[in-house]
Amino acid sequence: DYPAARELRAILKREQENGAALIIATHDLEPVLDLCDAMLVLHQGKQVLAGKPETVLNQVEEFGVRAPCGWRSSQTLLPWDQ
């Protein structure tokens, strides 16, 4: 739900600012992608894509992952909560 996603983002941002390395596993990229330095896509248990989001996002849909709306419309990573 929206309030929980905002709370999660606040926690992730705080930890990032404190220098923590974070690993996030999710099927919904939209709320967290703008916080990521790199992403990895698994398909049938194997790594099929890895790299900066800007280099990986154009290929994710062939593996059943929906790219965020902002990316699909303008090839831009938009902050989810602004």
Side-chain angles (χ1 to χ4, degrees):
D1 65 21
Y2 184 71
R6 286 184 56 93
E7 183 178 349
L8 175 63
R9 282 183 59 85
I11 293 167
L12 294 173
K13 283 180 183 180
R14 185 174 60 244
E15 293 303 315
Q16 222 174 22
E17 289 166 359
N18 289 333
L22 304 172
I23 297 173
I24 304 166
T26 184
H27 66 278
D28 185 5
L29 300 175
E30 199 92 39
V32 296
L33 191 59
D34 64 301
L35 301 175
C36 296
D37 298 321
M39 64 183 289
L40 174 105
V41 177
L42 300 175
H43 182 70
Q44 297 180 345
K46 296 184 180 179
Q47 177 184 319
V48 292
L49 299 171
K52 292 184 175 284
E54 297 85 354
T55 64
V56 173
L57 283 171
N58 287 329
Q59 304 168 65
V60 297
E61 292 195 12
E62 65 188 88
F63 298 104
V65 178
R66 185 181 58 82
C69 293
W71 182 261
R72 293 186 327 185
S73 66
S74 65
Q75 303 285 297
T76 304
L77 294 177
L78 302 171
W80 180 79
D81 59 351
Q82 295 180 2

